[in-house]
C-alpha cells in the first residue's frame, strides 16, 4: 500500500504503466548494483582465503612504464584470482526477485571457504549507489502516487456530481478566461523587445494553452483541498558511508572532511583553494581535512601528482608541493610533479626512492579504488563526517555542510583555540 | 490533456487514416532488407553528450557501433539498430548513413532527406521534434499546421525517391516533461545540480521552453500538451502516408511512453539521453519495428 485518497487505497500496481516500467528498471538497477558489489566482495574474499598479495610491480622511470606496470599488475592479479576461485568452495544463495518491489536478498548471500558474505555487506559496499537508486524509486513513487491520487479525486468528484472525470477537466479548461488581442499584442511586443521572433499565432497558442493548463491545475488544487490523501512511503535517509577515517576519532577535530580529489581538473584546483582556506580559517582545530587521491584512470599526470604528494608528505612538504603544482598549472607551465617535488623537499634522494616505491603507487591506487567503491563517479567528491557529496561543492555549500556537521557533532573534545566561530 | 480525451481525438484522426487507406487497394511491393540504413534526426540521434561531451556516434540508438576501439576505450555497447541489422542480415551490402544534425527540427527534415537520392537506402529512420518542443521561448512552439506541412513534405519526398519496398520508421518525440520531472532532482557534470545547469537556459542552453527555472507548472503542462499533439499528428500522418503509398512501408513508433529514469539522462547536460538512454531507445524502437521478428 502506497497511501490512500478519499478513503481509497492506492497500491503500486495501480500506478500508470510508464511509472511501473520506470520502477521495474530502477529495482533492476538496484539488483545489479548489489550483484556487482557481491562480485567485488567475493573477489576480495577469494584473494584473502587464497592469501593473494598485491603484486609488487616494477615501477619504471617513464610515464609509459608506470602505466604498463599497473596494467601488468592488474592482469596478473586477475589471473591469480581466477585460479584461486576455481580451487575454493563457494556456496551462493540466489536472491528472490519480485515483480512489484525491490528484490529480497537472503541474510547470507554466499560462503567463500570459511567466510560468510551477508546482505548487509553488500548494502555497505554499494551504499552510495543504492541510496541514489532508492531516492529515485521514492521520487518516482511520489510522482506516480500524486498522478494517481489526482485521477482518483477527479473520479470521486465526478461520481459526486453525476459526471465523468474527463468532462470535469474539459469543462474547467473550457472555462478558462479567453485571451484577448491586447494580451497577444502585449506579449508579442514584450518578446520582440527581448529580440525574440514572437509570431502572433504562436504567442496566442501559448497564452491560450497556458490559461487552460492553469484552469486544470486550479481544479486539481481545489480537489486536493477537498479530498485529502496520504502518501505513506517514507523517504530514504541520506547515507553515511563507511570510509576509513570518515568520522572523528576521540580527542581530535569534531568534523572530518575527506576530499577525494586531484589537482588536474578545473574544479579540483578551485576545491584546493577552498580546502586551503578552510584549513587556515576560523574552524581550524574543529575540522580535519584529509585529501585522498581520486582521478580518471587514464590521467597519468594526476597519478604522478598523487604519488609525489604522498612522498612530499613524508617530508612534511605536501602543502608546498600542492601549491607549486597548482601555480605551474595556472601559469600554463609544464607541471611535472616529480620534478617540482624534487625541488620542493629537503631530501631529494629520499623523494626519488619514495616515488619509485611500488607500495606508494599501490597506496595511491587503493585510495582511488576506495573512491570508486564508495560510488564517487565524479572528481572531486567529499565525505563530511561520513555524509557523501559527489562532485564539486562551491565554498558556501561546503561551509554549510561543515556547519551542519558541527551542529550535529558531539561537544568539542578539544579546547577551543582563539579565532574559532562561537 | 488527459489520456482519455486524447484517445477520443485520436479516434477521429484514425478514422481519417482508415478512409484514406480504403481508397488505396494496391498492395505494396515486398519489404526490402534494411541493409542500407539512413538516419534523419537531431542531437538525440547523434548521441550528443551521451557518453563524452559532444557527439558520440558509436552510441547512437540507430547508427551506433561497437568495434575494437570502443571496447578498448570502455565505451558502452548499446546494440543500435545498425548493429542489430548486421547481426541479423550480415555485413554484406551494408551502409550506415548519418544525416542527423544537432539542433535539427521538423523544418530541417526535408533537407536531411535529400541524400536518399544518391544513397538509395532501404531503411530510413526519422526522429525529430524534440527541438520543436524545446524552444528557447515558450511562445515560439510551431503550430500543428506547420508540423503537418513539414512532415507531409518530407514523407512525400521520401515516397518519390526511395527504392520500392523500402521502410521508413518515424519515432515519436519523448515526453520532455518526463525528462524534466526525473532530472530535476539529479546532478549533471561535476556534480552540479541539473536545476543549476538549466538556469543557463537564459544564456542559450537549449529547451528553455521546458527547463527554464522561470517557467510555471502551467507553462510546462502547455509544452507537454504540444509534445502530445505533435506525436498525435505524427502517428496519424504516418498512418495516412502508409495507407496511401504503393511503394514504401511506413511505421510510427511511440517514444512518449519511454520510462526514462535518472541513469538514462546525460550526466553531462541533464538533457540528452545518456548511453543507457540511447540503448533504451534502441531496444524499444527496434522491438516495435518491422524487423524485430
Amino acid at each position: 500500500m502506497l497511501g490512500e485518497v478519499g478513503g481509497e487505497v492506492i497500491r503500486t500496481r495501480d500506478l500508470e504503466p510508464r511509472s511501473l516500467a520506470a520502477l521495474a528498471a530502477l529495482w533492476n538497477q538496484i539488483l545489479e548494483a548489489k550483484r556487482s558489489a557481491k562480485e567485488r566482495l567475493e573477489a576480495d574474499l577469494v584473494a584473502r582465503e587464497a592469501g593473494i598479495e598485491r603484486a609488487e610491480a616494477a615501477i619504471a622511470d617513464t610515464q609509459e612504464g608506470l602505466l604498463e606496470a599497473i596494467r601488468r599488475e592488474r592482469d596478473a592479479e586477475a589471473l591469480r584470482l581466477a585460479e584461486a576461485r576455481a580451487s575454493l568452495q563457494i556456496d551462493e544463495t540466489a536472491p528472490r526477485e519480485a515483480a512489484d518491489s525491490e528484490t529480497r536478498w537472503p541474510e547470507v548471500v554466499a560462503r567463500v571457504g570459511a567466510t560468510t558474505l551477508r546482505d548487509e555487506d553488500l548494502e555497505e559496499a554499494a551504499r552510495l549507489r543504492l541510496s541514489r537508486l532508492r531516492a529515485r524509486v521514492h521520487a518516482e513513487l511520489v510522482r506516480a502516487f500524486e498522478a494517481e491520487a489526482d485521477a482518483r479525486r477527479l473520479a470521486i468528484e465526478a461520481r459526486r456530481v453525476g459526471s465523468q472525470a474527463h468532462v470535469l477537466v474539459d469543462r474547467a479548461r473550457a472555462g478558462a478566461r479567453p485571451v484577448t488581442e491586447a494580451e497577444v499584442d502585449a506579449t508579442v511586443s514584450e518578446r520582440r523587445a527581448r529580440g525574440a521572433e514572437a509570431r502572433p499565432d504562436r504567442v496566442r497558442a501559448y497564452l491560450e494553452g497556458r490559461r487552460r493548463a492553469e484552469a486544470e491545475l486550479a481544479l486539481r488544487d481545489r480537489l486536493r483541498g477537498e479530498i485529502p490523501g496520504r502518501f505513506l512511503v517514507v523517504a530514504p535517509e541520506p547515507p553515511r558511508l563507511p570510509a576509513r577515517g570518515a568520522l572523528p576519532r576521540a580527542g581530535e577535530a569534531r568534523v572530518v572532511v575527506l576530499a577525494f580529489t586531484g589537482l588536474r581538473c578545473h574544479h579540483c584546483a578551485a576545491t584546493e583553494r577552498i580546502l586551503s582556506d578552510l584549513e587556515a580559517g576560523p574552524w581550524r582545530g574543529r575540522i580535519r581535512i584529509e585529501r585522498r587521491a581520486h582521478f580518471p584512470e587514464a590521467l597519468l599526470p594526476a597519478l604522478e601528482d598523487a604519488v609525489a604528494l604522498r612522498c612530499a608528505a613524508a617530508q612534511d612538504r605536501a602543502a608546498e608541493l600542492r601549491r607549486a603544482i597548482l601555480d605551474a598549472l595556472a601559469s600554463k607551465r609544464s607541471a611535472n610533479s616529480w620534478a617540482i617535488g624534487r625541488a620542493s623537499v629537503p631530501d631529494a634522494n629520499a623523494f626519488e626512492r619514495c616515488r619509485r616505491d611500488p607500495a606508494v603507487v599501490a597506496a595511491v591506487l587503493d585510495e582511488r579504488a576506495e573512491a570508486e567503491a564508495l560510488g564517487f563517479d565524479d572528481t572531486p567528491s567529499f565525505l563530511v563526517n561520513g555524509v557523501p557529496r559527489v562532485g564539486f561543492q562551491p565554498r558556501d555549500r561546503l561551509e554549510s555542510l561543515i556547519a551542519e556537521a558541527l551542529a550535529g557533532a558531539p561537544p568539542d573534545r578539544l579546547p577551543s583555540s582563539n579565532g574559532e566561530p562561537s | 490533456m488527459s489520456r482519455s480525451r486524447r484517445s477520443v481525438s485520436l479516434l477521429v484522426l484514425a478514422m481519417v487514416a482508415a478512409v484514406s487507406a480504403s481508397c488505396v487497394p494496391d498492395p505494396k511491393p515486398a519489404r526490402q532488407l534494411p541493409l542500407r540504413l539512413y538516419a534523419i534526426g537531431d542531437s538525440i540521434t547523434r548521441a550528443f553528450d551521451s557518453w563524452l561531451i559532444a557527439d558520440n556516434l558509436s552510441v547512437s540508438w540507430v547508427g551506433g557501433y561497437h568495434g575494437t576501439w570502443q571496447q578498448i576505450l570502455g565505451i558502452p555497447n548499446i546494440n543500435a539498430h545498425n548493429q542489430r541489422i548486421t547481426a541479423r542480415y550480415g555485413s554484406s551490402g551494408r551502409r550506415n548513413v548519418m544525416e542527423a544534425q544537432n539542433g535539427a527540427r521538423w523544418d530541417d527534415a526535408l533537407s536531411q532527406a535529400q541524400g536518399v537520392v544518391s544513397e538509395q537506402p532501404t531503411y530510413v529512420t526519422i526522429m525529430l521534434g524534440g527541438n520543436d518542443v524545446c524552444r528557447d521561448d515558450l511562445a515560439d512552439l510551431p503550430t500543428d499546421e506547420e508540423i503537418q506541412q513539414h512532415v507531409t513534405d518530407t514523407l512525400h519526398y521520401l515516397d518519390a525517391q526511395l527504392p520500392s519496398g523500402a521502410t521508413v520508421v518515424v519515432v515519436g518525440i519523448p515526453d520532455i516533461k518526463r525528462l524534466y520531472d526525473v532530472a530535476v532532482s539529479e546532478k549533471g557534470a561535476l556534480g552540479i545540480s541539473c536545476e543549476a545547469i538549466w538556469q543557463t537556459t537564459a544564456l542559450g542552453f537549449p529547451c528553455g521552453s521546458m527547463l527554464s527555472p522561470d517557467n510555471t507548472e502551467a507553462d510546462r503542462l502547455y509544452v507537454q500538451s504540444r509534445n502530445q499533439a505533435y506525436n498525435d499528428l505524427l502517428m496519424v500522418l504516418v498512418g495516412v502516408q502508409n495507407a496511401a503509398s504503393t511503394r514504401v512501408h511506413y511505421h510510427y513508433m511511440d517514444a512518449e511512453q519511454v520510462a526514462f529514469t535518472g541513469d538514462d539522462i546525460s550526466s553531462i547536460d541533464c538533457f540528452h539521453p545518456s548511453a543507457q538512454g540511447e540503448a533504451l531507445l534502441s531496444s524499444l524502437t527496434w522491438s516495435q519495428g518491422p524487423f524485430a521478428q
Side-chain angles (χ1 to χ4, degrees):
Chain A
M1 176 176 170
L2 297 176
E4 56 90 24
V5 62
E8 294 184 12
V9 170
I10 296 179
R11 295 186 171 81
T12 306
R13 63 169 180 260
D14 300 326
L15 304 179
E16 62 154 348
R18 185 169 61 177
S19 284
L20 288 177
L23 287 166
L26 288 166
W27 287 324
N28 191 50
Q29 287 165 25
I30 290 173
L31 179 64
E32 288 305 316
K34 291 186 74 166
R35 278 192 178 136
S36 167
K38 179 168 168 284
E39 277 175 23
R40 282 201 314 272
L41 292 175
E42 270 186 7
D44 287 349
L45 287 177
V46 167
R48 205 170 72 197
E49 290 281 322
I52 295 175
E53 297 283 334
R54 178 183 281 275
E56 289 214 348
I59 306 298
D61 262 341
T62 63
Q63 296 188 348
E64 290 76 12
L66 181 56
L67 195 59
E68 273 308 305
I70 294 165
R71 284 198 183 124
R72 275 203 307 276
E73 179 190 353
R74 285 189 182 164
D75 289 349
E77 203 168 81
L79 188 63
R80 284 194 302 278
L81 275 174
E83 287 169 352
R85 194 181 172 91
S87 65
L88 272 174
Q89 171 81 22
I90 300 179
D91 298 320
E92 293 178 290
T93 312
R96 274 188 299 120
E97 294 191 37
D100 61 352
S101 65
E102 197 179 309
T103 294
R104 304 269 176 246
W105 287 71
E107 191 181 334
V108 174
V109 295
R111 287 195 171 82
V112 181
T115 312
T116 300
L117 189 59
R118 297 178 182 280
D119 182 37
E120 64 196 52
D121 300 324
L122 308 189
E123 288 284 327
E124 188 168 300
R127 193 172 293 186
L128 185 56
R129 171 80 174 144
L130 290 173
S131 98
R132 277 192 206 159
L133 289 170
R134 285 174 180 142
R136 285 175 182 163
V137 167
H138 188 263
E140 186 68 44
L141 285 172
V142 169
R143 273 193 300 275
F145 176 84
E146 284 176 356
E148 178 62 20
D150 278 348
R152 297 283 182 102
R153 289 186 181 101
L154 277 168
I156 291 168
E157 176 69 358
R159 282 199 299 274
R160 190 181 71 77
V161 300
S163 182
Q164 290 180 293
H166 70 82
V167 174
L168 296 185
V169 174
D170 286 352
R171 200 178 293 155
R173 293 172 67 88
R177 189 164 54 84
V179 173
T180 64
E181 283 303 320
E183 287 174 315
V184 173
D185 290 345
T187 308
V188 167
S189 301
E190 181 256 328
R191 257 40 183 197
R192 284 182 179 163
R194 284 198 272 125
E197 190 185 357
R199 285 176 31 182
D201 55 344
R202 292 180 176 183
V203 168
R204 172 173 284 281
Y206 160 58
L207 293 176
E208 289 176 348
R210 186 179 66 177
R211 202 156 276 172
R212 284 194 292 270
E214 285 169 344
E216 184 175 338
L217 286 172
L219 169 66
R220 292 180 192 277
D221 281 347
R222 177 173 70 78
L223 294 179
R224 280 177 192 167
E226 292 173 1
I227 308 171
R230 284 188 309 150
F231 180 66
L232 299 173
V233 181
V234 178
E237 289 277 320
R240 283 179 187 269
L241 296 187
R244 167 178 52 88
L247 296 173
R249 291 182 292 268
E252 70 152 15
R254 290 172 60 196
V255 172
V256 174
V257 179
L258 295 187
F260 293 81
T261 186
L263 298 175
R264 298 275 164 169
C265 68
H266 173 72
H267 281 79
C268 294
T271 293
E272 185 47 47
R273 283 192 292 276
I274 296 169
L275 294 179
S276 298
D277 289 350
L278 286 171
E279 282 175 322
W283 279 322
R284 191 157 45 91
R286 299 171 77 190
I287 62 172
R288 174 167 63 82
I289 295 174
E290 185 178 325
R291 296 163 182 83
R292 294 189 184 168
H294 190 26
F295 47 85
E297 185 173 29
L299 196 57
L300 200 62
L303 171 63
E304 292 174 352
D305 292 346
V307 170
L309 284 167
R310 189 167 269 267
C311 294
Q315 300 187 42
D316 203 20
R317 289 289 192 279
E320 288 82 354
L321 176 56
R322 204 175 287 119
R323 269 197 302 275
I325 295 171
L326 285 174
D327 287 347
L329 288 170
S331 62
K332 312 277 190 231
R333 281 184 280 123
S334 164
N336 182 328
S337 52
W338 288 348
I340 300 172
R342 275 193 297 273
S344 305
V345 295
D347 186 344
N349 289 333
F351 180 86
E352 274 299 298
R353 281 193 303 278
C354 172
R355 78 164 179 89
R356 290 162 191 261
D357 183 350
V360 173
V361 179
V364 167
L365 293 175
D366 279 350
E367 287 184 353
R368 187 175 170 280
E370 179 188 28
E372 286 199 334
L374 288 167
F376 289 162
D377 48 11
D378 261 317
T379 310
S381 288
F382 303 85
L383 284 176
V384 179
N385 270 8
V387 176
R389 284 292 180 273
V390 181
F392 174 69
Q393 305 295 311
R395 183 183 298 268
D396 56 346
R397 200 178 309 157
L398 201 52
E399 284 177 350
S400 80
L401 279 169
I402 293 169
E404 278 172 33
L406 278 169
D412 277 331
R413 299 188 186 99
L414 288 172
S416 294
S417 59
N418 289 337
E420 290 180 0
S422 56
Chain B
M1 189 188 289
S2 69
R3 303 295 304 180
S4 59
R5 295 306 293 156
R6 283 184 72 198
S7 303
V8 174
S9 311
L10 287 175
L11 188 61
V12 175
L13 291 167
M15 284 166 66
V16 174
V19 170
S20 306
S22 66
C23 300
V24 188
D26 294 346
K28 292 180 198 287
R31 190 190 299 279
Q32 290 206 43
L33 295 181
L35 298 175
R36 300 173 72 84
L37 170 62
Y38 189 99
I40 293 172
D42 54 25
S43 52
I44 294 180
T45 297
R46 294 186 72 84
F48 188 85
D49 280 357
S50 294
W51 182 249
L52 301 172
I53 292 173
D55 293 341
N56 296 269
L57 296 181
S58 69
V59 299
S60 160
W61 65 274
V62 56
Y65 45 89
H66 197 69
T68 308
W69 276 111
Q70 284 70 40
Q71 287 172 32
I72 289 171
L73 296 172
I75 296 172
N77 179 0
I78 63 116
N79 202 10
H81 286 214
N82 175 52
Q83 295 165 267
R84 293 170 196 261
I85 293 167
T86 299
R88 172 165 288 197
Y89 304 106
S91 54
S92 176
R94 285 299 326 278
R95 286 282 286 157
N96 179 17
V97 180
M98 173 62 72
E99 280 296 314
Q101 294 297 323
N102 294 332
R105 303 185 299 230
W106 260 108
D107 60 8
D108 296 306
L110 189 56
S111 69
Q112 286 191 23
Q114 306 293 313
V116 301
V117 175
S118 56
E119 295 291 343
Q120 288 294 290
T122 52
Y123 181 36
V124 177
T125 63
I126 308 177
M127 187 178 191
L128 282 167
N131 292 312
D132 292 288
V133 176
C134 279
R135 304 300 291 257
D136 292 341
D137 191 326
L138 276 157
D140 198 25
L141 273 64
T143 61
D144 285 355
E145 291 72 24
E146 291 172 270
I147 293 289
Q148 179 167 352
Q149 190 64 54
H150 299 312
V151 174
T152 307
D153 289 350
T154 305
L155 296 185
H156 285 172
Y157 180 82
L158 288 173
D159 206 70
Q161 301 298 335
L162 287 175
S164 273
T167 297
V168 175
V169 158
V170 178
V171 181
I173 309 162
D175 183 354
I176 310 292
K177 174 129 190 332
R178 162 95 194 162
L179 166 86
Y180 171 86
D181 287 339
V182 169
V184 73
S185 53
E186 297 285 334
K187 287 188 179 349
L190 303 164
I192 298 166
S193 77
C194 291
E195 272 191 304
I197 289 173
W198 294 341
Q199 283 174 3
T200 60
T201 48
L203 305 172
F205 187 88
C207 210
S209 57
M210 180 61 82
L211 305 179
S212 166
D214 296 334
N215 291 353
T216 64
E217 182 65 4
D219 287 331
R220 288 188 284 270
L221 285 176
Y222 162 69
V223 176
Q224 188 181 37
S225 73
R226 299 305 301 143
N227 196 150
Q228 292 170 344
Y230 296 156
N231 280 336
D232 291 349
L233 257 177
L234 287 174
M235 187 175 74
V236 170
L237 294 172
V238 171
V240 168
Q241 180 69 21
N242 188 51
S245 174
T246 57
R247 304 180 66 247
V248 176
H249 303 265
Y250 296 87
H251 300 266
Y252 172 76
M253 293 185 192
D254 179 17
E256 199 179 305
Q257 291 304 307
V258 175
F260 284 116
T261 64
D263 282 354
D264 298 322
I265 296 167
S266 167
S267 59
I268 297 169
D269 63 20
C270 301
F271 174 52
H272 291 93
S274 64
Q276 184 175 304
E278 294 277 341
L280 181 65
L281 273 175
S282 172
S283 168
L284 289 173
T285 50
W286 183 265
S287 65
Q288 291 180 60
F291 305 109
Q293 299 307 315

